[in-house]
Amino acid sequence: MTALKENTAKLDSVTLALLNHRFEGVARKMANTLLRTGRSGVLNIARDFSCCIVTADCELLVANEGLPIHVLSGPDIMARIMKEVAPMLKRGDAFLNNSPYHGCSHAADHTILVPVIDDKGVHRFTVLAKAHQADVGNSIPTTYHGSARDVYEEGALIFPSTKVQENYETNQDIVRMCRMRIRVPDQWWGDFLAAIGSARIGEQEIMAMAAEVGWDLLTAFSREWLNYSERRMEDAIRRMPVGSAKRSSTHDPFPGTPAEGVTVNATVSIDPGEARIQVDLTDNIDCLPCGLNLSEACARTAAMVGIFNSIDHSVPKNAGAFRRIELSLRENCVVGIPRHPTSTSVATTNIADRVANVVQAAIADIADGYGLAECGAVIPPAAGVISGVKPTTGAHFVNQLCLGMTGGAAAPGADAWITICHVGNGGLCNVDSVELDELRQPIHVYSRELVPDTEGAGRYRGAPSVAVEFGPVGCCISVGYVSDGAINAARGVRGGGNGGNANQFRLTSEGRKAQLDSCAQVTLRDGERLLSISCGGGGYGFPEERDPDAVARDVAEGWITPERARNVYRVAVAGDRVDLEATVALRSDHHHN
């Protein structure tokens, strides 16, 4: 690489690939720092965080294998806001942004931004570490306040790109504010230090890389890598079918929504000739007096998640590829650009998932072999935020569980990724270890199992639901959740069936089973249990087109019952084998009908 310092006008492909991997390595080191030093379980077990690098011009360059909903859009906006509020950036600065009105996803995602400054004082890159917090000082002990009528009822401290470090020294005034407001101040402080450390690792690694190869080469790489990524995106779109489709998906009724729920509409247009994909999200209702509204970052990102789920997976996800995407949003829209004091407490999941789902399902409507079915909705109680007082120590605790979500959607050529958890997550959050959750909190997990016959049936099948039963040990606990999908399940595409519905029940110590609301803060007493059932994912293609041998394997492995194989897939299974003659008759009768 040394020889290239003198000529950075055009980089050869080998150098381009090497430098891309170097930058990806920086993002991975940042993520590993957060994973190894984060104090809360939502970070060091579930991995609910993301790290990325943006250019000095505020374009997303690379990200770690983090959550797509965190990074596709938002880091660019936050970096621009940082430059606006602090035009004289200096080495040693760090900023905290969790403002949904200034580029962050929602208030629970504390994001640390560190500008990388060279020895001449020139701003070269910005590194970002975004970490979901178990508690951010909301008016109730959860980061998902679905019923909050506005940001004031939501209650979190909002930091619109606030300087938290200067000359590498932390502003203790801000620390004291957070410690006074947040219910688990020591846990937050540990997570804050982990995020700061993650961002500083990124700064350190980029400085070392520049010392090795020169800033000019790194700048040239940024330009060439984004241009290359745009060309890859162009090629991917040119291979897609031309067409346009409008698709809708409805979120269940919640406090603050219309009685029928929230229908999300998207019109997707593919123009292979111009190598462009357009997504119009303007035909949606205004912002609502609840926490379901999307921040601008989440509205943009959710649409892009649906697109990237539907194209060649090897296309880089960065600002270069984004140049071929046109998104239409409007202000004061539930899937648009919110105005203060609109609450966006649940912006990363519920409505955002509906947006991603309608985009990828609309692409499937345009042509067979493209797009995806709908992923299952979230957040069931098994992925809720639990809080209480430990009976052994008297210490307060707040943490988000990730004990069980499935939700994977069927693809044009493959069965679902079962534990995607939700479409904006991209499968990158870990499912919690039962043993670790029981050690960290005073709870007992009685069962965790997939539910047969809840998959979205199809030529390729969606994920089944998962049922998790848990409860407190020796105390009371509070469980906050915002579970969508009890009424409106994940829909299949191109003849595919719907996934299983979500549900939740209180199981009393006397043996009674009581239905619970979909959006609630539930208190469980010692001896009570909560049964959480997550959504399954939609199927792709008609079920009777599924390979009969695959159906037989599904029966043998317990995914479906023999009755479902016969009635839905039109396959007769005898033992662990297909009864070919009976199957031909079943499918022939079905075809004629």
Side-chain angles (χ1 to χ4, degrees):
M1 292 187 201
T2 305
L4 286 168
K5 289 183 184 179
E6 298 176 1
N7 181 12
T8 60
K10 185 76 174 177
L11 304 187
D12 63 83
S13 58
V14 173
T15 302
L16 199 65
L18 287 172
L19 285 174
N20 174 55
H21 284 295
R22 291 286 296 272
F23 272 101
E24 288 180 344
V26 173
R28 283 195 297 271
K29 287 183 179 180
M30 293 173 64
N32 190 58
T33 301
L34 260 175
L35 177 65
R36 301 301 179 190
T37 61
R39 190 165 296 180
S40 63
V42 72
L43 298 187
N44 60 34
I45 297 178
R47 294 183 79 254
D48 194 348
F49 59 80
S50 302
C51 301
C52 65
I53 303 166
V54 302
T55 68
D57 294 328
C58 307
E59 293 187 298
L60 178 66
L61 185 63
V62 297
N64 77 305
E65 290 184 345
L67 281 59
I69 197 67
H70 277 173
V71 294
L72 294 186
S73 180
D76 53 334
I77 303 173
M78 287 188 284
R80 287 199 300 270
I81 295 295
M82 178 191 71
K83 292 176 69 174
E84 289 174 10
V85 300
M88 299 298 291
L89 295 168
K90 297 179 181 178
R91 188 180 295 175
D93 288 347
F95 298 81
L96 171 59
N97 190 330
N98 74 327
S99 172
Y101 320 108
H102 299 84
C104 197
S105 36
H106 65 156
D109 286 334
H110 280 199
T111 306
I112 297 296
L113 298 92
V114 166
V116 180
I117 311 294
D118 69 15
D119 292 338
K120 296 180 180 179
V122 178
H123 176 212
R124 295 290 188 168
F125 296 92
T126 301
V127 292
L128 296 89
K130 177 180 285 192
H132 185 95
Q133 303 296 304
D135 189 280
V136 287
N138 278 346
S139 57
I140 57 176
T142 178
T143 57
Y144 301 109
H145 197 338
S147 61
R149 289 168 293 181
D150 54 31
V151 73
Y152 304 116
E153 184 175 357
E154 190 178 327
L157 288 167
I158 301 294
F159 297 97
S161 199
T162 302
K163 186 183 288 189
V164 292
Q165 281 192 341
E166 186 170 3
N167 196 26
Y168 298 101
E169 294 292 330
T170 301
N171 184 334
Q172 293 300 320
D173 292 338
I174 294 172
V175 173
R176 284 193 293 273
M177 290 170 63
C178 289
R179 293 186 70 93
M180 284 294 291
R181 181 66 186 174
I182 293 171
R183 292 173 179 82
V184 280
D186 290 342
Q187 179 176 287
W188 167 81
W189 175 240
D191 289 348
F192 173 84
L193 291 176
I196 286 285
S198 169
R200 291 301 181 193
I201 286 290
E203 174 192 36
Q204 174 182 302
E205 291 295 318
I206 292 176
M207 295 286 288
M209 196 177 355
E212 178 185 342
V213 303
W215 288 112
D216 288 346
L217 181 57
L218 297 187
T219 300
F221 160 76
S222 301
R223 180 184 63 250
E224 291 296 323
W225 181 246
L226 295 181
N227 289 340
Y228 165 79
S229 301
E230 182 179 14
R231 293 193 297 271
R232 288 293 314 281
M233 187 69 167
E234 288 179 2
D235 291 343
I237 297 173
R238 291 190 195 283
R239 293 195 296 271
M240 298 179 74
V242 64
S244 181
K246 182 172 182 177
R247 184 97 179 187
S248 300
S249 186
T250 300
H251 189 287
D252 289 356
F254 265 36
T257 73
E260 66 276 13
V262 182
T263 297
V264 173
N265 303 302
T267 300
V268 180
S269 301
I270 304 172
D271 184 346
E274 294 295 324
R276 291 199 174 276
I277 296 178
Q278 296 177 318
V279 179
D280 188 340
L281 296 172
T282 59
D283 182 23
N284 286 292
I285 63 174
D286 289 346
C287 286
L288 297 166
C290 66
L292 293 180
N293 306 287
L294 299 194
S295 59
E296 180 181 358
C298 285
R300 293 186 177 281
T301 295
M304 288 196 283
V305 166
I307 291 171
F308 281 106
N309 281 350
S310 306
I311 65 170
D312 181 351
H313 71 277
S314 66
V315 174
K317 285 74 174 173
N318 60 34
F322 303 164
R323 295 170 188 165
R324 314 309 302 179
I325 299 172
E326 296 180 8
L327 303 178
S328 298
L329 306 177
R330 67 178 181 86
E331 286 195 8
N332 193 39
C333 179
V334 69
V335 290
I337 305 170
R339 301 171 184 157
H340 184 274
T342 298
S343 175
T344 64
S345 184
V346 197
T348 56
T349 51
N350 298 49
I351 295 292
D353 287 2
R354 296 289 179 174
V355 171
N357 279 331
V358 292
V359 170
Q360 63 196 34
I363 293 173
D365 287 344
I366 292 172
D368 197 359
Y370 297 87
L372 281 179
E374 289 191 359
C375 289
V378 293
I379 296 169
V385 177
I386 66 169
S387 59
V389 177
K390 294 182 179 180
T392 53
T393 64
H396 289 267
F397 67 91
V398 183
N399 190 38
Q400 184 179 1
L401 302 177
C402 197
L403 275 169
M405 290 187 287
T406 48
D415 291 337
W417 180 352
I418 295 176
T419 56
I420 196 170
C421 293
H422 74 97
V423 64
N425 177 304
L428 269 298
C429 268
N430 290 339
V431 177
D432 285 0
S433 157
V434 167
E435 292 79 6
L436 288 179
D437 276 354
E438 290 177 338
L439 285 171
R440 285 172 170 264
Q441 292 93 201
I443 64 171
H444 181 68
V445 180
Y446 296 90
S447 63
R448 178 166 65 183
E449 56 189 3
L450 298 174
V451 183
D453 293 350
T454 56
E455 89 298 348
R459 183 193 317 148
Y460 294 98
R461 58 170 168 77
S465 299
V466 64
V468 181
E469 191 175 317
F470 67 98
V473 176
C475 64
C476 294
I477 63 171
S478 177
V479 184
Y481 59 89
V482 283
S483 184
D484 183 21
I487 299 172
N488 298 292
R491 294 164 60 194
V493 295
R494 307 203 70 81
N498 294 347
N501 291 84
N503 219 327
Q504 50 278 322
F505 302 91
R506 183 198 301 272
L507 309 179
T508 69
S509 55
E510 296 82 18
R512 294 192 301 273
K513 184 177 181 180
Q515 178 83 46
L516 293 171
D517 290 339
S518 293
C519 176
Q521 190 81 19
V522 174
T523 298
L524 297 178
R525 297 177 178 85
D526 191 18
E528 294 185 325
R529 305 180 187 182
L530 198 156
L531 173 60
S532 167
I533 301 172
S534 75
C535 286
Y540 197 110
F542 290 101
E544 60 270 20
E545 296 174 351
R546 184 165 177 78
D547 180 352
D549 289 332
V551 176
R553 285 195 299 272
D554 290 344
V555 172
E557 295 175 3
W559 300 99
I560 62 174
T561 60
E563 293 74 22
R564 187 168 177 83
R566 171 178 286 272
N567 297 332
V568 176
Y569 292 92
R570 318 300 296 178
V571 174
V573 178
D576 59 353
R577 300 193 177 193
V578 177
D579 183 332
L580 289 176
E581 185 176 344
T583 296
V584 170
L586 282 170
R587 290 191 165 182
S588 176
D589 289 345
H590 182 73
H591 176 73
H592 291 310
N593 290 338

PDB file of all heavy atoms in Angstrom, residues 160-185:
ATOM      1  N   PRO A 160     -29.706  15.967  22.244  1.00  0.00           N
ATOM      2  CA  PRO A 160     -29.634  16.253  20.793  1.00  0.00           C
ATOM      3  C   PRO A 160     -28.206  16.570  20.354  1.00  0.00           C
ATOM      4  O   PRO A 160     -27.878  17.703  20.018  1.00  0.00           O
ATOM      5  CB  PRO A 160     -30.561  17.451  20.652  1.00  0.00           C
ATOM      6  CG  PRO A 160     -30.466  18.155  21.974  1.00  0.00           C
ATOM      7  CD  PRO A 160     -30.195  17.109  23.013  1.00  0.00           C
ATOM      8  N   SER A 161     -27.357  15.577  20.382  1.00  0.00           N
ATOM      9  CA  SER A 161     -25.941  15.728  20.066  1.00  0.00           C
ATOM     10  C   SER A 161     -25.272  16.654  21.085  1.00  0.00           C
ATOM     11  O   SER A 161     -24.820  17.749  20.772  1.00  0.00           O
ATOM     12  CB  SER A 161     -25.729  16.258  18.639  1.00  0.00           C
ATOM     13  OG  SER A 161     -24.409  15.995  18.208  1.00  0.00           O
ATOM     14  N   THR A 162     -25.217  16.168  22.309  1.00  0.00           N
ATOM     15  CA  THR A 162     -24.671  16.914  23.446  1.00  0.00           C
ATOM     16  C   THR A 162     -23.232  16.485  23.683  1.00  0.00           C
ATOM     17  O   THR A 162     -22.937  15.284  23.747  1.00  0.00           O
ATOM     18  CB  THR A 162     -25.512  16.631  24.701  1.00  0.00           C
ATOM     19  OG1 THR A 162     -26.866  17.002  24.440  1.00  0.00           O
ATOM     20  CG2 THR A 162     -24.995  17.407  25.892  1.00  0.00           C
ATOM     21  N   LYS A 163     -22.344  17.456  23.841  1.00  0.00           N
ATOM     22  CA  LYS A 163     -20.933  17.117  24.059  1.00  0.00           C
ATOM     23  C   LYS A 163     -20.768  16.522  25.454  1.00  0.00           C
ATOM     24  O   LYS A 163     -21.067  17.154  26.456  1.00  0.00           O
ATOM     25  CB  LYS A 163     -20.042  18.345  23.905  1.00  0.00           C
ATOM     26  CG  LYS A 163     -18.545  18.006  23.978  1.00  0.00           C
ATOM     27  CD  LYS A 163     -17.663  19.235  23.886  1.00  0.00           C
ATOM     28  CE  LYS A 163     -17.648  19.822  22.487  1.00  0.00           C
ATOM     29  NZ  LYS A 163     -16.609  20.897  22.375  1.00  0.00           N
ATOM     30  N   VAL A 164     -20.279  15.282  25.489  1.00  0.00           N
ATOM     31  CA  VAL A 164     -20.091  14.606  26.773  1.00  0.00           C
ATOM     32  C   VAL A 164     -18.614  14.449  27.127  1.00  0.00           C
ATOM     33  O   VAL A 164     -18.285  14.134  28.265  1.00  0.00           O
ATOM     34  CB  VAL A 164     -20.774  13.222  26.797  1.00  0.00           C
ATOM     35  CG1 VAL A 164     -22.276  13.368  26.767  1.00  0.00           C
ATOM     36  CG2 VAL A 164     -20.292  12.332  25.651  1.00  0.00           C
ATOM     37  N   GLN A 165     -17.743  14.669  26.157  1.00  0.00           N
ATOM     38  CA  GLN A 165     -16.312  14.676  26.441  1.00  0.00           C
ATOM     39  C   GLN A 165     -15.628  15.787  25.658  1.00  0.00           C
ATOM     40  O   GLN A 165     -15.972  16.048  24.494  1.00  0.00           O
ATOM     41  CB  GLN A 165     -15.654  13.338  26.070  1.00  0.00           C
ATOM     42  CG  GLN A 165     -15.874  12.231  27.081  1.00  0.00           C
ATOM     43  CD  GLN A 165     -14.977  11.028  26.839  1.00  0.00           C
ATOM     44  OE1 GLN A 165     -14.428  10.831  25.753  1.00  0.00           O
ATOM     45  NE2 GLN A 165     -14.804  10.210  27.867  1.00  0.00           N
ATOM     46  N   GLU A 166     -14.691  16.430  26.303  1.00  0.00           N
ATOM     47  CA  GLU A 166     -13.811  17.406  25.668  1.00  0.00           C
ATOM     48  C   GLU A 166     -12.408  17.148  26.164  1.00  0.00           C
ATOM     49  O   GLU A 166     -12.191  16.996  27.371  1.00  0.00           O
ATOM     50  CB  GLU A 166     -14.253  18.831  26.016  1.00  0.00           C
ATOM     51  CG  GLU A 166     -13.476  19.897  25.262  1.00  0.00           C
ATOM     52  CD  GLU A 166     -14.076  21.289  25.432  1.00  0.00           C
ATOM     53  OE1 GLU A 166     -15.055  21.428  26.180  1.00  0.00           O
ATOM     54  OE2 GLU A 166     -13.550  22.231  24.806  1.00  0.00           O
ATOM     55  N   ASN A 167     -11.477  17.055  25.208  1.00  0.00           N
ATOM     56  CA  ASN A 167     -10.099  16.701  25.544  1.00  0.00           C
ATOM     57  C   ASN A 167     -10.058  15.385  26.327  1.00  0.00           C
ATOM     58  O   ASN A 167      -9.291  15.223  27.264  1.00  0.00           O
ATOM     59  CB  ASN A 167      -9.426  17.815  26.343  1.00  0.00           C
ATOM     60  CG  ASN A 167      -7.918  17.667  26.369  1.00  0.00           C
ATOM     61  OD1 ASN A 167      -7.320  17.085  25.463  1.00  0.00           O
ATOM     62  ND2 ASN A 167      -7.288  18.169  27.422  1.00  0.00           N
ATOM     63  N   TYR A 168     -10.933  14.466  25.948  1.00  0.00           N
ATOM     64  CA  TYR A 168     -11.045  13.128  26.532  1.00  0.00           C
ATOM     65  C   TYR A 168     -11.540  13.132  27.978  1.00  0.00           C
ATOM     66  O   TYR A 168     -11.513  12.087  28.643  1.00  0.00           O
ATOM     67  CB  TYR A 168      -9.707  12.374  26.449  1.00  0.00           C
ATOM     68  CG  TYR A 168      -9.236  12.152  25.033  1.00  0.00           C
ATOM     69  CD1 TYR A 168      -8.254  12.967  24.474  1.00  0.00           C
ATOM     70  CD2 TYR A 168      -9.771  11.148  24.245  1.00  0.00           C
ATOM     71  CE1 TYR A 168      -7.826  12.782  23.158  1.00  0.00           C
ATOM     72  CE2 TYR A 168      -9.349  10.946  22.941  1.00  0.00           C
ATOM     73  CZ  TYR A 168      -8.377  11.773  22.404  1.00  0.00           C
ATOM     74  OH  TYR A 168      -7.960  11.574  21.108  1.00  0.00           O
ATOM     75  N   GLU A 169     -12.020  14.256  28.473  1.00  0.00           N
ATOM     76  CA  GLU A 169     -12.551  14.346  29.836  1.00  0.00           C
ATOM     77  C   GLU A 169     -14.078  14.353  29.785  1.00  0.00           C
ATOM     78  O   GLU A 169     -14.680  15.135  29.048  1.00  0.00           O
ATOM     79  CB  GLU A 169     -12.045  15.617  30.534  1.00  0.00           C
ATOM     80  CG  GLU A 169     -10.550  15.635  30.797  1.00  0.00           C
ATOM     81  CD  GLU A 169     -10.129  14.609  31.843  1.00  0.00           C
ATOM     82  OE1 GLU A 169     -10.958  14.311  32.739  1.00  0.00           O
ATOM     83  OE2 GLU A 169      -8.993  14.104  31.761  1.00  0.00           O
ATOM     84  N   THR A 170     -14.704  13.505  30.596  1.00  0.00           N
ATOM     85  CA  THR A 170     -16.160  13.386  30.608  1.00  0.00           C
ATOM     86  C   THR A 170     -16.806  14.521  31.379  1.00  0.00           C
ATOM     87  O   THR A 170     -16.333  14.894  32.465  1.00  0.00           O
ATOM     88  CB  THR A 170     -16.588  12.039  31.220  1.00  0.00           C
ATOM     89  OG1 THR A 170     -16.020  10.976  30.451  1.00  0.00           O
ATOM     90  CG2 THR A 170     -18.102  11.890  31.237  1.00  0.00           C
ATOM     91  N   ASN A 171     -17.886  15.063  30.825  1.00  0.00           N
ATOM     92  CA  ASN A 171     -18.655  16.116  31.485  1.00  0.00           C
ATOM     93  C   ASN A 171     -19.470  15.480  32.612  1.00  0.00           C
ATOM     94  O   ASN A 171     -20.482  14.828  32.370  1.00  0.00           O
ATOM     95  CB  ASN A 171     -19.572  16.807  30.472  1.00  0.00           C
ATOM     96  CG  ASN A 171     -20.330  17.974  31.059  1.00  0.00           C
ATOM     97  OD1 ASN A 171     -20.578  18.043  32.255  1.00  0.00           O
ATOM     98  ND2 ASN A 171     -20.708  18.914  30.194  1.00  0.00           N
ATOM     99  N   GLN A 172     -19.043  15.685  33.843  1.00  0.00           N
ATOM    100  CA  GLN A 172     -19.684  15.047  34.983  1.00  0.00           C
ATOM    101  C   GLN A 172     -21.063  15.631  35.274  1.00  0.00           C
ATOM    102  O   GLN A 172     -21.879  14.980  35.947  1.00  0.00           O
ATOM    103  CB  GLN A 172     -18.788  15.147  36.217  1.00  0.00           C
ATOM    104  CG  GLN A 172     -17.500  14.346  36.106  1.00  0.00           C
ATOM    105  CD  GLN A 172     -17.752  12.852  35.899  1.00  0.00           C
ATOM    106  OE1 GLN A 172     -18.660  12.280  36.507  1.00  0.00           O
ATOM    107  NE2 GLN A 172     -16.958  12.225  35.045  1.00  0.00           N
ATOM    108  N   ASP A 173     -21.351  16.840  34.793  1.00  0.00           N
ATOM    109  CA  ASP A 173     -22.702  17.384  34.966  1.00  0.00           C
ATOM    110  C   ASP A 173     -23.725  16.477  34.277  1.00  0.00           C
ATOM    111  O   ASP A 173     -24.795  16.189  34.831  1.00  0.00           O
ATOM    112  CB  ASP A 173     -22.800  18.796  34.377  1.00  0.00           C
ATOM    113  CG  ASP A 173     -21.989  19.808  35.162  1.00  0.00           C
ATOM    114  OD1 ASP A 173     -21.711  19.542  36.348  1.00  0.00           O
ATOM    115  OD2 ASP A 173     -21.632  20.854  34.585  1.00  0.00           O
ATOM    116  N   ILE A 174     -23.395  16.037  33.049  1.00  0.00           N
ATOM    117  CA  ILE A 174     -24.306  15.164  32.311  1.00  0.00           C
ATOM    118  C   ILE A 174     -24.413  13.813  33.007  1.00  0.00           C
ATOM    119  O   ILE A 174     -25.510  13.236  33.106  1.00  0.00           O
ATOM    120  CB  ILE A 174     -23.832  15.013  30.860  1.00  0.00           C
ATOM    121  CG1 ILE A 174     -23.947  16.353  30.136  1.00  0.00           C
ATOM    122  CG2 ILE A 174     -24.637  13.946  30.129  1.00  0.00           C
ATOM    123  CD1 ILE A 174     -23.344  16.374  28.766  1.00  0.00           C
ATOM    124  N   VAL A 175     -23.307  13.324  33.508  1.00  0.00           N
ATOM    125  CA  VAL A 175     -23.331  12.047  34.223  1.00  0.00           C
ATOM    126  C   VAL A 175     -24.247  12.134  35.435  1.00  0.00           C
ATOM    127  O   VAL A 175     -25.057  11.232  35.696  1.00  0.00           O
ATOM    128  CB  VAL A 175     -21.905  11.633  34.637  1.00  0.00           C
ATOM    129  CG1 VAL A 175     -21.940  10.391  35.525  1.00  0.00           C
ATOM    130  CG2 VAL A 175     -21.041  11.380  33.406  1.00  0.00           C
ATOM    131  N   ARG A 176     -24.158  13.217  36.196  1.00  0.00           N
ATOM    132  CA  ARG A 176     -25.013  13.360  37.375  1.00  0.00           C
ATOM    133  C   ARG A 176     -26.485  13.432  36.990  1.00  0.00           C
ATOM    134  O   ARG A 176     -27.350  12.879  37.683  1.00  0.00           O
ATOM    135  CB  ARG A 176     -24.607  14.603  38.164  1.00  0.00           C
ATOM    136  CG  ARG A 176     -23.324  14.427  38.974  1.00  0.00           C
ATOM    137  CD  ARG A 176     -23.145  15.557  39.972  1.00  0.00           C
ATOM    138  NE  ARG A 176     -22.911  16.848  39.312  1.00  0.00           N
ATOM    139  CZ  ARG A 176     -21.715  17.289  38.941  1.00  0.00           C
ATOM    140  NH1 ARG A 176     -20.644  16.533  39.166  1.00  0.00           N
ATOM    141  NH2 ARG A 176     -21.570  18.459  38.367  1.00  0.00           N
ATOM    142  N   MET A 177     -26.789  14.117  35.885  1.00  0.00           N
ATOM    143  CA  MET A 177     -28.172  14.172  35.417  1.00  0.00           C
ATOM    144  C   MET A 177     -28.702  12.771  35.112  1.00  0.00           C
ATOM    145  O   MET A 177     -29.809  12.408  35.517  1.00  0.00           O
ATOM    146  CB  MET A 177     -28.261  15.038  34.159  1.00  0.00           C
ATOM    147  CG  MET A 177     -28.035  16.513  34.387  1.00  0.00           C
ATOM    148  SD  MET A 177     -27.864  17.410  32.817  1.00  0.00           S
ATOM    149  CE  MET A 177     -29.469  17.134  32.085  1.00  0.00           C
ATOM    150  N   CYS A 178     -27.908  11.982  34.399  1.00  0.00           N
ATOM    151  CA  CYS A 178     -28.344  10.636  34.043  1.00  0.00           C
ATOM    152  C   CYS A 178     -28.468   9.739  35.275  1.00  0.00           C
ATOM    153  O   CYS A 178     -29.435   8.973  35.400  1.00  0.00           O
ATOM    154  CB  CYS A 178     -27.372  10.024  33.043  1.00  0.00           C
ATOM    155  SG  CYS A 178     -27.440  10.773  31.396  1.00  0.00           S
ATOM    156  N   ARG A 179     -27.542   9.838  36.183  1.00  0.00           N
ATOM    157  CA  ARG A 179     -27.596   8.998  37.378  1.00  0.00           C
ATOM    158  C   ARG A 179     -28.806   9.330  38.239  1.00  0.00           C
ATOM    159  O   ARG A 179     -29.359   8.456  38.917  1.00  0.00           O
ATOM    160  CB  ARG A 179     -26.303   9.130  38.178  1.00  0.00           C
ATOM    161  CG  ARG A 179     -25.071   8.568  37.469  1.00  0.00           C
ATOM    162  CD  ARG A 179     -23.852   8.608  38.372  1.00  0.00           C
ATOM    163  NE  ARG A 179     -23.990   7.643  39.461  1.00  0.00           N
ATOM    164  CZ  ARG A 179     -23.529   6.387  39.423  1.00  0.00           C
ATOM    165  NH1 ARG A 179     -22.892   5.946  38.340  1.00  0.00           N
ATOM    166  NH2 ARG A 179     -23.698   5.595  40.442  1.00  0.00           N
ATOM    167  N   MET A 180     -29.232  10.596  38.240  1.00  0.00           N
ATOM    168  CA  MET A 180     -30.409  10.982  39.011  1.00  0.00           C
ATOM    169  C   MET A 180     -31.695  10.474  38.358  1.00  0.00           C
ATOM    170  O   MET A 180     -32.677  10.177  39.037  1.00  0.00           O
ATOM    171  CB  MET A 180     -30.480  12.495  39.150  1.00  0.00           C
ATOM    172  CG  MET A 180     -29.512  13.084  40.154  1.00  0.00           C
ATOM    173  SD  MET A 180     -29.880  12.576  41.857  1.00  0.00           S
ATOM    174  CE  MET A 180     -31.421  13.448  42.138  1.00  0.00           C
ATOM    175  N   ARG A 181     -31.719  10.380  37.042  1.00  0.00           N
ATOM    176  CA  ARG A 181     -32.953  10.062  36.324  1.00  0.00           C
ATOM    177  C   ARG A 181     -33.117   8.568  36.059  1.00  0.00           C
ATOM    178  O   ARG A 181     -34.234   8.041  36.080  1.00  0.00           O
ATOM    179  CB  ARG A 181     -32.983  10.817  34.983  1.00  0.00           C
ATOM    180  CG  ARG A 181     -34.230  10.593  34.144  1.00  0.00           C
ATOM    181  CD  ARG A 181     -35.466  11.154  34.802  1.00  0.00           C
ATOM    182  NE  ARG A 181     -36.667  10.801  34.050  1.00  0.00           N
ATOM    183  CZ  ARG A 181     -37.902  11.056  34.449  1.00  0.00           C
ATOM    184  NH1 ARG A 181     -38.098  11.656  35.605  1.00  0.00           N
ATOM    185  NH2 ARG A 181     -38.932  10.709  33.713  1.00  0.00           N
ATOM    186  N   ILE A 182     -32.018   7.863  35.815  1.00  0.00           N
ATOM    187  CA  ILE A 182     -32.074   6.463  35.396  1.00  0.00           C
ATOM    188  C   ILE A 182     -32.135   5.550  36.617  1.00  0.00           C
ATOM    189  O   ILE A 182     -31.401   5.744  37.594  1.00  0.00           O
ATOM    190  CB  ILE A 182     -30.877   6.144  34.487  1.00  0.00           C
ATOM    191  CG1 ILE A 182     -31.023   6.912  33.167  1.00  0.00           C
ATOM    192  CG2 ILE A 182     -30.739   4.656  34.233  1.00  0.00           C
ATOM    193  CD1 ILE A 182     -29.820   6.864  32.261  1.00  0.00           C
ATOM    194  N   ARG A 183     -33.012   4.550  36.568  1.00  0.00           N
ATOM    195  CA  ARG A 183     -33.292   3.697  37.725  1.00  0.00           C
ATOM    196  C   ARG A 183     -32.118   2.819  38.129  1.00  0.00           C
ATOM    197  O   ARG A 183     -32.029   2.407  39.289  1.00  0.00           O
ATOM    198  CB  ARG A 183     -34.509   2.816  37.428  1.00  0.00           C
ATOM    199  CG  ARG A 183     -35.804   3.588  37.310  1.00  0.00           C
ATOM    200  CD  ARG A 183     -36.946   2.697  36.838  1.00  0.00           C
ATOM    201  NE  ARG A 183     -38.195   3.448  36.754  1.00  0.00           N
ATOM    202  CZ  ARG A 183     -38.542   4.218  35.732  1.00  0.00           C
ATOM    203  NH1 ARG A 183     -37.721   4.342  34.696  1.00  0.00           N
ATOM    204  NH2 ARG A 183     -39.697   4.864  35.748  1.00  0.00           N
ATOM    205  N   VAL A 184     -31.280   2.462  37.186  1.00  0.00           N
ATOM    206  CA  VAL A 184     -30.121   1.606  37.472  1.00  0.00           C
ATOM    207  C   VAL A 184     -28.860   2.388  37.079  1.00  0.00           C
ATOM    208  O   VAL A 184     -28.223   2.094  36.062  1.00  0.00           O
ATOM    209  CB  VAL A 184     -30.225   0.265  36.725  1.00  0.00           C
ATOM    210  CG1 VAL A 184     -31.165  -0.679  37.456  1.00  0.00           C
ATOM    211  CG2 VAL A 184     -30.717   0.457  35.281  1.00  0.00           C
ATOM    212  N   PRO A 185     -28.495   3.399  37.877  1.00  0.00           N
ATOM    213  CA  PRO A 185     -27.421   4.314  37.465  1.00  0.00           C
ATOM    214  C   PRO A 185     -26.070   3.634  37.268  1.00  0.00           C
ATOM    215  O   PRO A 185     -25.331   3.997  36.353  1.00  0.00           O
ATOM    216  CB  PRO A 185     -27.375   5.342  38.598  1.00  0.00           C
ATOM    217  CG  PRO A 185     -28.058   4.691  39.761  1.00  0.00           C
ATOM    218  CD  PRO A 185     -29.081   3.785  39.171  1.00  0.00           C
TER     219      PRO A 185
END
